[in-house]
Amino acid sequence: MLSEQPIQSIRKTIQGYEKEDKAYIAVDCIIFGFDLNEEELKILLVQRDFEPQKGEWSLMGGFLKKDENLDEAAARVLYQLTGLYDIYMEQLGVFSEIDRDPADRTVSIAYYALINIIDHNQEMVDHHSAQWFNLSEIPRLIFDHNKMVNSAIQRLQYKASVQPIGFELLPEKFTMRHLQKLYEAILQRELDKRNFTKKINALDILIKLDEKDKESSKKGSFLYTFDKEKYLQKRAEGFVFKI
Amino acid sequence: MLSEQPIQSIRKTIQGYEKEDKAYIAVDCIIFGFDLNEEELKILLVQRDFEPQKGEWSLMGGFLKKDENLDEAAARVLYQLTGLYDIYMEQLGVFSEIDRDPADRTVSIAYYALINIIDHNQEMVDHHSAQWFNLSEIPRLIFDHNKMVNSAIQRLQYKASVQPIGFELLPEKFTMRHLQKLYEAILQRELDKRNFTKKINALDILIKLDEKDKESSKKGSFLYTFDKEKYLQKRAEGFVFKI
DNA sequence: TTTGATAAGTGTAAAAATTACATTTAAAAT
DNA sequence: ATTTTAAATGTAATTTTTACACTTATCAAA
């Protein structure tokens, strides 16, 4: 059998894959943030300030380097724009149409990130001419970036309903209203307040603090935090998050 | 603003991305088939017959070429092994650890395919020393292929429960039992026969034929086909498949 | 022709989950 | 004291899911 193998099969394994084509590998990030004042879910876009397509909006991106894997590249790209690290990110998928990038054959891997919107470094964001956009007001983006955004929204809707990742978009302490408005923004439908509270309380993964948020009303509303320890414990015992 | 841009940003756009690293891009396929006799879900693996790692099991793979996108590359790789085309395939994700392939920096995109197991070209399969393995008996695979397989099983479990892709694994005509055993194999749990039938009938997307399959019992059991037209019609009207 | 064997086919009741819906309460401002 | 504002809270109806067992059609063997 071995003697029948074409020589390049052996070359492939031992010396590399010289006969194959290479391509550039990019990473593009859909960065989600939740604006607590407007109660709107937003994404952070950068404006190209060089030709061609100067002035057009784009996802923040970068190229995969020799010495990093894709998760690392995505984290690096996010850091470059926001100054944030240790952020929840998830790979969405690969976009590989031949001419998606007119400059050169590049396949791009889309990632989405969930950040607490007030944490980002405003200077770095300004430096990239970046801006937050409501989901309903996303402009036309370069290349196939609108497809990536749509894919990210879909994935977020699914993921947020089966894993407690919504908290990544909120500050450490939040009110029940914040949480509900967040899920309404993600799922793009209104939720019943009493049923929502009931469901969240039944999950039993929040800690109700003694503290109140007095911003929104005279009465004030109690603040909560996500009890990650408890969630992990429960999950280990077979509990599944579901909203 | 333009004048402040570093020169390579302009070069990038106009001439390509010379300063960036390139990599090989591979595609690996998790090929699922459902064995109606054994009532087992299986995947098709190929055996490396060249050094190094000769004799080890692997997913069928190939490299992305200049003139094709990843979906096309995946379809080509599937065709090379099975002789099948126009097959349901879905991208799973990218595997990009730096040293995942010892021969050269290669990122691989995993795809899974669902085929009617009796359709494949046995000669082509034999030619690649390929073999079907039960999900519970997957051997150790090269590189990160075991991770890919696990990821595929998870994705299939999710996808098959929210989209009618199970039929891709069955022949044109199948019995209610076939369908139930298939879902049991995918979901890896037993289902109640009466509840299952009730649920499937409620979906109202199958056509019950006058024909019976007499293989399995004296009485014989009615054959069904998936009514794709009807499903697409219903989906357009807001119906969502759910098992 | 009767009997036995085999898997197919079928319904109902209990439990759980989801939905719809309106009033009272706390606190600040006037 | 009165007004204003959003927070907090429970119940009943509906829908969905689950558990569960006997009859039927057909062939093969006695």
Side-chain angles (χ1 to χ4, degrees):
Chain A
M1 268 301 207
L2 181 58
S3 57
E4 286 172 40
Q5 272 308 111
I7 187 71
Q8 74 264 31
S9 292
I10 296 166
R11 277 240 319 287
K12 271 186 192 178
T13 312
I14 295 171
Q15 300 182 8
Y17 306 116
E18 287 84 8
K19 296 193 56 178
E20 307 295 342
D21 300 323
K22 282 188 166 184
Y24 292 109
I25 299 179
V27 163
D28 288 300
C29 290
I30 297 95
I31 301 167
F32 287 100
F34 184 62
D35 184 320
L36 284 177
N37 298 316
E38 297 182 26
E39 299 184 333
E40 289 263 19
L41 193 59
K42 305 195 170 200
I43 68 174
L44 186 56
L45 299 172
V46 300
Q47 197 164 11
R48 278 174 88 92
D49 52 6
F50 51 91
E51 296 296 346
Q53 309 190 330
K54 173 173 171 170
E56 288 190 44
W57 293 98
S58 160
L59 295 171
M60 180 68 181
F63 287 91
L64 177 68
K65 297 184 189 296
K66 272 202 296 284
D67 60 349
E68 63 184 2
N69 66 28
L70 280 164
D71 288 356
E72 289 160 353
R76 175 173 56 76
V77 165
L78 179 71
Y79 177 79
Q80 284 166 0
L81 178 57
T82 63
L84 301 173
Y85 49 90
D86 277 345
I87 293 295
Y88 179 88
M89 297 190 82
E90 187 188 336
Q91 189 191 103
L92 274 178
V94 191
F95 292 76
S96 66
E97 290 304 316
I98 297 168
D99 293 317
R100 56 175 294 285
D101 181 333
D104 216 327
R105 179 72 198 268
T106 306
V107 305
S108 176
I109 291 85
Y111 274 76
Y112 73 93
L114 306 181
I115 73 170
N116 177 3
I117 204 166
I118 60 168
D119 286 346
H120 71 260
N121 181 317
Q122 193 61 48
E123 266 182 52
M124 292 173 89
V125 166
D126 291 343
H127 182 260
H128 285 87
S129 315
Q131 228 172 272
W132 289 97
F133 288 83
N134 286 349
L135 287 199
S136 54
E137 293 159 2
I138 309 283
R140 186 176 218 284
L141 305 176
I142 63 164
F143 304 170
D144 45 11
H145 288 194
N146 286 96
K147 276 191 196 171
M148 294 180 178
V149 170
N150 292 334
S151 165
I153 294 169
Q154 277 199 7
R155 180 75 69 90
L156 176 60
Q157 288 182 347
Y158 165 63
K159 213 54 187 287
S161 68
V162 298
Q163 273 183 38
I165 59 173
F167 306 112
E168 306 288 340
L169 289 161
L170 293 174
E172 192 66 20
K173 302 173 182 180
F174 51 85
T175 66
M176 204 50 95
R177 178 188 177 104
H178 290 151
L179 191 60
Q180 181 180 341
K181 292 299 171 188
L182 170 65
Y183 274 96
E184 289 181 345
I186 292 173
L187 303 175
Q188 293 178 183
R189 61 191 170 91
E190 299 210 334
L191 301 172
D192 178 90
K193 182 167 62 159
R194 277 176 291 187
N195 292 340
F196 183 80
T197 308
K198 203 194 307 179
K199 191 167 239 173
I200 295 293
N201 285 332
L203 292 175
D204 187 31
I205 51 175
L206 294 190
I207 297 169
K208 184 175 189 171
L209 304 176
D210 288 334
E211 229 173 310
K212 277 189 167 184
D213 171 23
K214 307 295 281 277
E215 299 287 305
S216 57
S217 79
K218 322 280 167 98
K219 186 178 176 179
S221 62
F222 280 104
L223 289 164
Y224 293 80
T225 54
F226 173 48
D227 189 343
K228 191 163 186 180
E229 294 307 312
K230 191 167 192 178
Y231 165 68
L232 292 174
Q233 177 62 34
K234 292 184 73 163
R235 193 183 59 169
E237 292 163 3
F239 165 81
V240 285
F241 179 93
K242 188 84 188 69
I243 278 192
Chain B
M1 269 295 209
L2 181 59
S3 58
E4 284 172 42
Q5 273 304 112
I7 187 68
Q8 72 265 31
S9 293
I10 297 166
R11 276 241 318 290
K12 269 185 191 179
T13 312
I14 295 171
Q15 301 183 7
Y17 306 118
E18 286 85 9
K19 299 193 56 175
E20 307 295 341
D21 299 323
K22 281 188 167 185
Y24 293 108
I25 299 179
V27 163
D28 288 300
C29 290
I30 298 94
I31 301 167
F32 287 100
F34 183 62
D35 185 320
L36 285 176
N37 298 314
E38 297 183 25
E39 298 184 334
E40 289 264 17
L41 193 59
K42 304 195 170 200
I43 68 174
L44 185 58
L45 299 172
V46 300
Q47 198 165 13
R48 279 173 87 91
D49 52 4
F50 51 91
E51 298 295 348
Q53 309 192 331
K54 175 174 169 168
E56 289 191 44
W57 292 99
S58 161
L59 294 171
M60 180 69 182
F63 287 91
L64 177 68
K65 297 184 190 297
K66 271 202 296 287
D67 60 350
E68 63 183 4
N69 66 29
L70 280 164
D71 288 358
E72 288 160 353
R76 175 172 56 76
V77 165
L78 179 71
Y79 178 78
Q80 284 165 2
L81 179 57
T82 63
L84 301 173
Y85 49 91
D86 277 344
I87 292 295
Y88 180 89
M89 297 190 82
E90 187 188 335
Q91 188 189 103
L92 274 177
V94 191
F95 293 75
S96 66
E97 288 304 315
I98 297 167
D99 294 317
R100 54 176 296 284
D101 181 334
D104 216 329
R105 180 71 197 270
T106 306
V107 306
S108 177
I109 292 87
Y111 274 77
Y112 73 95
L114 307 181
I115 72 172
N116 177 4
I117 204 166
I118 61 166
D119 285 346
H120 70 260
N121 180 318
Q122 193 61 48
E123 266 181 50
M124 292 173 88
V125 166
D126 291 344
H127 180 259
H128 285 88
S129 313
Q131 229 172 270
W132 289 97
F133 289 83
N134 287 347
L135 287 199
S136 55
E137 292 160 1
I138 308 282
R140 186 177 217 284
L141 305 176
I142 63 164
F143 306 168
D144 44 12
H145 288 195
N146 286 98
K147 275 191 198 171
M148 293 180 180
V149 169
N150 292 335
S151 165
I153 294 169
Q154 277 199 10
R155 180 75 69 90
L156 176 59
Q157 288 183 346
Y158 164 62
K159 213 55 187 287
S161 68
V162 297
Q163 274 181 38
I165 59 172
F167 306 112
E168 306 287 340
L169 290 160
L170 293 174
E172 191 65 21
K173 301 172 183 182
F174 51 86
T175 68
M176 204 51 96
R177 180 189 175 105
H178 291 150
L179 191 60
Q180 181 180 341
K181 292 299 170 186
L182 169 65
Y183 274 96
E184 289 181 347
I186 292 173
L187 302 175
Q188 292 178 185
R189 61 192 170 90
E190 299 210 334
L191 302 172
D192 179 88
K193 183 169 57 158
R194 278 176 291 186
N195 292 339
F196 183 78
T197 309
K198 203 193 310 174
K199 191 169 240 174
I200 295 293
N201 285 331
L203 292 176
D204 187 30
I205 51 174
L206 294 190
I207 297 168
K208 185 176 188 171
L209 304 175
D210 288 334
E211 232 172 313
K212 276 190 168 185
D213 171 22
K214 306 296 282 278
E215 299 285 304
S216 57
S217 78
K218 323 281 167 100
K219 186 177 177 181
S221 61
F222 281 104
L223 288 164
Y224 294 80
T225 53
F226 173 47
D227 190 344
K228 192 163 185 179
E229 293 308 311
K230 191 168 193 176
Y231 165 68
L232 292 174
Q233 177 62 35
K234 291 185 73 162
R235 193 183 59 170
E237 293 163 1
F239 166 80
V240 285
F241 179 94
K242 188 83 190 68
I243 278 193

